[in-house]
Amino acid sequence: MGESAFSRRGVLLAAATVPFVAACTPEPPPPPPPDVLEDLVGAALSDAALAAAVGAPETAAARTEHADRLRAEIERATPRVPGSTPPPSPPPSVAPPAGGTRETLVTSLQAAQKQAGDLAVTVGSHRVGLVASVAAGCASLVEALS
């Protein structure tokens, strides 16, 4: 009988402890908000696709490089939760818009230059060089296409 009393007490103790342990377990942190550089990555990939479609391979390569560098910074800055899988990378290319011309490419590059320039004054000092470099790169690409 002594053995069964110990068994019952052990079961009761375990049953009483489970809610306590569950209540002490912290909730997983919410996912981080989207990175402010994501829009620049999307614009760079779109410009690269458009540049390739209109026969501007150097511009396509430069904008692909911008996207790669921006994506690397996003991945570096994104906190990882232990045991979680890394976020999926975006597709390596984007389909070019229909009816794209060199003029639409120039307009898109000018918009990307402004977008990056506006963002450069809001990002932290560790990112400003990268974002300003993207803005300057877009400006030089516009000049090369003009």
Side-chain angles (χ1 to χ4, degrees):
M1 184 160 207
E3 189 175 324
S4 69
F6 283 121
S7 297
R8 267 188 253 155
R9 279 189 217 161
V11 170
L12 291 175
L13 180 59
T17 307
V18 170
F20 179 72
V21 172
C24 293
T25 305
E27 290 290 320
D35 195 290
V36 296
L37 301 182
E38 289 289 346
D39 289 340
L40 292 180
V41 172
L45 291 172
S46 177
D47 289 349
L50 179 57
V54 299
E58 295 85 9
T59 301
R63 290 300 277 152
T64 299
E65 181 69 19
H66 290 168
D68 292 345
R69 297 296 170 116
L70 291 163
R71 174 61 54 203
E73 169 56 20
I74 291 168
E75 290 174 1
R76 182 204 64 78
T78 303
R80 298 278 182 253
V81 176
S84 69
T85 58
S89 294
S93 63
V94 175
T101 64
R102 285 179 86 84
E103 290 77 26
T104 57
L105 176 59
V106 167
T107 301
S108 183
L109 288 168
Q110 289 168 334
Q113 175 188 354
K114 179 172 180 2
Q115 179 185 23
D118 291 347
L119 187 60
V121 298
T122 66
V123 295
S125 60
H126 59 285
R127 287 181 152 188
V128 71
L130 173 63
V131 176
S133 177
V134 169
C138 290
S140 67
L141 293 170
V142 167
E143 288 299 315
L145 291 168
S146 299

